[in-house]
Amino acid sequence: MFERLVPKLRVNTVFDIDLEELFRQGYRGIITDLDNTLVGAKAPLATPELLLWFTKVKELGFKLIIVSNNNMDRVSRFATPLNIEFVHQARKPSNAPFLKAMKLMDLKPEQTVVVGDQMLTDVYGGNRLGLYTVLVLPISVKDEGVGTRINRRVEQIALTRLRKQGLWQEEDKS
């Protein structure tokens, strides 16, 4: 069970993802979480840096879709002005939103990357379907809702177990 919480890649932010390398490896679509992955949970719009990242993603040839557990209003206000497709109230880690996103992009699991800030929703959901999972550090933990705060506590318990099993090594900060 705990092994499914381990992402294929851990980075600080979406900007640290080597998009060119992923494309070379055959990935063609990115399913990304919204809150605390792309912007803080209370940030209504994309930052200038994120707009440049979206441009790079599309220029490289990736398809992109936002899959969020948040409501229609929140996700639509962010994604619609950017002309980005989305799945709202996704109920991650359920398979359904990931399958829907892949269908919308017309891609298979082996062509799809999932990027998110939560092990229990984004990573677990993506790993169960054989997607390439990328865990980013949350942007603004102080703005998270109650459900996410509970998930973070469960993640800490899981991390303790993963470390004991040798499945989670800390990054070398030197």
Side-chain angles (χ1 to χ4, degrees):
M1 158 67 190
F2 287 106
E3 297 83 21
R4 289 193 174 178
L5 296 175
V6 179
K8 303 290 187 291
L9 176 67
R10 293 172 11 207
V11 294
N12 290 331
T13 72
V14 295
F15 311 115
D16 299 317
I17 299 169
D18 188 340
L19 295 170
E20 290 90 351
E21 181 58 28
L22 289 176
F23 198 84
R24 272 193 294 277
Q25 292 176 16
Y27 296 101
R28 296 298 181 260
I30 298 173
I31 296 171
T32 183
D33 180 43
L34 172 57
D35 294 324
N36 276 335
T37 297
L38 298 176
V39 294
K42 292 187 178 178
L45 303 172
T47 63
E49 187 179 22
L50 187 58
L51 293 174
L52 290 172
W53 188 78
F54 286 146
T55 299
K56 181 177 180 182
V57 165
K58 291 178 181 180
E59 283 176 352
L60 284 170
F62 284 102
K63 295 177 183 179
L64 177 72
I65 189 164
I66 294 172
V67 174
S68 173
N69 284 348
N70 214 322
N71 63 52
M72 171 73 163
D73 186 53
R74 162 66 175 143
V75 184
S76 177
R77 282 186 189 199
F78 181 89
T80 301
L82 302 171
N83 199 28
I84 296 174
E85 285 190 281
F86 62 90
V87 176
H88 67 284
Q89 292 178 324
R91 302 190 193 296
K92 294 179 288 181
S94 163
N95 288 345
F98 296 103
L99 294 171
K100 181 177 182 178
M102 285 188 291
K103 184 175 182 170
L104 288 168
M105 293 188 294
D106 193 28
L107 294 174
K108 297 175 180 151
E110 61 271 13
Q111 298 173 294
T112 308
V113 176
V114 174
V115 180
D117 67 301
Q118 290 189 63
M119 294 166 62
L120 296 178
T121 57
D122 308 302
V123 174
Y124 180 63
N127 281 346
R128 285 191 325 178
L129 291 171
L131 310 180
Y132 185 90
T133 51
V134 179
L135 182 67
V136 300
L137 295 176
I139 293 171
S140 181
V141 176
K142 68 180 178 359
D143 292 335
E144 293 179 334
V146 174
T148 303
R149 289 177 191 206
I150 292 168
N151 280 353
R152 298 273 184 228
R153 288 195 175 147
V154 174
E155 284 181 0
Q156 289 306 312
I157 294 166
L159 281 170
T160 300
R161 288 266 175 98
L162 289 167
R163 286 181 186 111
K164 285 181 181 175
Q165 295 174 359
L167 297 172
W168 189 277
Q169 279 74 42
E170 297 308 314
E171 301 290 315
D172 184 9
K173 300 294 182 187
S174 57

